[in-house]
Amino acid sequence: MIRVFLLTAGLCFALFCQAQNDTTGVGKIKAPEGDTLRVGNLLIIRNGAKEIAGDLPSLRIKTRRYHDGYRLSNVSTNWGIVDLGLTAINDKTVYSSAAAQQFAPGANKDWFKQRYGFLPRSVDVNIWLFMQRINLIKHVVNLKYGLGLELNNYMYEYDIRFLTDPTKVIMDTIHYTKNKLATDFLTMPVMLNFNFTSHRRHPFGFSAGASFGYLYSSRQKFISHEHGKEKTYNDFDLNQWKISYIGELQLGWINLYGSYATRSIFSRGLDQVPYNFGIRIGNW
């Protein structure tokens, strides 16, 4: 009975202690070098300890260690991130200028008013194929970049129409139940990321930087009772490149993003600077 008790105590002791000295023998007997424990005539050897030569019976115990928190990596990748947000225009056009009147004869600021319901109808949807984070300073300061599609849809309240060859904006006599300008960019964001809780999978921190987008598709879509659904594909004298200041705020499970373009989306006539904000759906 005593041997069983001693063996049980020794097993428990071996699981939770490191390199203990045996005091159960006659006098004070130092345990062999390594993670071992001697109980009477039985030698208990944990994983990692060296084998002990001799005829002394032994029992090898393997243990597994578990670590709390998120395993850090110098390079980490997040696939398939989606942004759901709103887009809007900061209209700085001087409509009395010759350039504006040539591009949109008779126009004023109300022509390009965005449509509203309970929320603004102009939306921003971004699909990031991947985003990658590279450790720069102790996982607190990181370089973050990616590649994806930036899709902006500007919903107009009034019945403006973009004509082509040459590009010109008119106020149509047909009433549109839906009227939007869609711009699609292939975009690469580059940011400096500050992660204040790097041990967590969903950290707290923020990022700031710039994005560089190339316009690969643009179109105006309108729906009317007279003609039904129509689409016009053209570049509408839009700027082919879009450079924006960007930022994101990480609040654990909640990620918020925002962007503000450095110049107008149009290459001539109108000075309309777009900006976006919304929720980012991803691991970090």
Side-chain angles (χ1 to χ4, degrees):
M1 186 66 181
I2 295 177
R3 285 181 177 274
V4 174
F5 175 77
L6 291 175
L7 178 59
T8 303
L11 289 173
C12 295
F13 198 64
L15 290 174
F16 296 101
C17 300
Q18 299 286 334
Q20 301 294 323
N21 292 334
D22 173 52
T23 58
T24 61
V26 180
K28 293 183 178 180
I29 302 175
K30 185 177 181 180
E33 184 179 356
D35 200 2
T36 63
L37 181 69
R38 180 174 178 179
V39 180
N41 293 327
L42 179 65
L43 184 65
I44 300 173
I45 305 172
R46 291 186 62 192
N47 55 306
K50 297 180 179 179
E51 294 285 354
I52 306 298
D55 298 330
L56 191 65
S58 62
L59 174 66
R60 178 169 291 277
I61 299 175
K62 293 185 177 181
T63 60
R64 182 179 297 175
R65 295 181 180 178
Y66 296 89
H67 299 277
D68 295 330
Y70 175 55
R71 183 178 179 182
L72 300 177
S73 175
N74 286 329
V75 180
S76 55
T77 306
N78 196 353
W79 303 93
I81 302 171
V82 177
D83 293 345
L84 300 176
L86 302 175
T87 187
I89 291 290
N90 181 13
D91 193 350
K92 301 188 291 183
T93 305
V94 179
Y95 285 95
S96 60
S97 68
Q101 289 301 311
Q102 183 181 8
F103 189 80
N108 55 50
K109 198 167 188 176
D110 289 339
W111 275 33
F112 299 90
K113 181 180 179 181
Q114 304 293 298
R115 175 168 289 186
Y116 284 82
F118 176 72
L119 290 173
R121 298 292 180 87
S122 299
V123 297
D124 172 56
V125 177
N126 305 318
I127 303 172
W128 305 110
L129 305 178
F130 77 94
M131 279 195 179
Q132 200 162 57
R133 187 173 61 194
I134 298 177
N135 172 39
L136 296 180
I137 304 175
K138 296 182 178 180
H139 298 282
V140 175
V141 181
N142 308 276
L143 177 64
K144 190 172 180 179
Y145 58 90
L147 183 68
L149 306 179
E150 186 179 2
L151 314 176
N152 302 132
N153 293 275
Y154 303 100
M155 301 290 293
Y156 295 118
E157 178 70 24
Y158 299 113
D159 304 319
I160 62 172
R161 185 174 186 133
F162 288 84
L163 304 181
T164 61
D165 197 26
T167 301
K168 184 179 290 187
V169 183
I170 64 169
M171 181 65 72
D172 209 338
T173 57
I174 297 175
H175 175 64
Y176 299 122
T177 57
K178 184 176 183 179
N179 184 9
K180 76 172 184 178
L181 175 67
T183 61
D184 303 336
F185 292 86
L186 178 66
T187 301
M188 182 180 70
V190 180
M191 295 175 284
L192 200 60
N193 168 252
F194 298 88
N195 188 349
F196 303 124
T197 56
S198 57
H199 61 284
R200 299 184 57 170
R201 183 178 296 274
H202 301 281
F204 286 78
F206 70 93
S207 305
S211 67
F212 307 88
Y214 175 76
L215 180 70
Y216 68 88
S217 178
S218 57
R219 60 207 171 274
Q220 187 180 18
K221 177 180 178 181
F222 21 73
I223 300 176
S224 65
H225 295 297
E226 290 84 350
H227 302 292
K229 184 185 297 184
E230 298 177 87
K231 286 184 182 180
T232 301
Y233 286 86
N234 195 268
D235 64 5
F236 303 118
D237 286 353
L238 295 164
N239 277 312
Q240 288 296 112
W241 292 95
K242 179 183 179 183
I243 302 175
S244 302
Y245 304 111
I246 59 174
E248 62 179 12
L249 183 62
Q250 299 165 288
L251 302 172
W253 289 88
I254 301 174
N255 296 324
L256 307 176
Y257 77 93
S259 68
Y260 188 89
T262 58
R263 62 178 180 176
S264 172
I265 57 173
F266 293 97
S267 61
R268 68 180 184 91
L270 304 178
D271 188 6
Q272 298 183 350
V273 181
Y275 59 94
N276 310 316
F277 56 92
I279 297 176
R280 175 159 293 166
I281 302 173
N283 291 331
W284 43 258

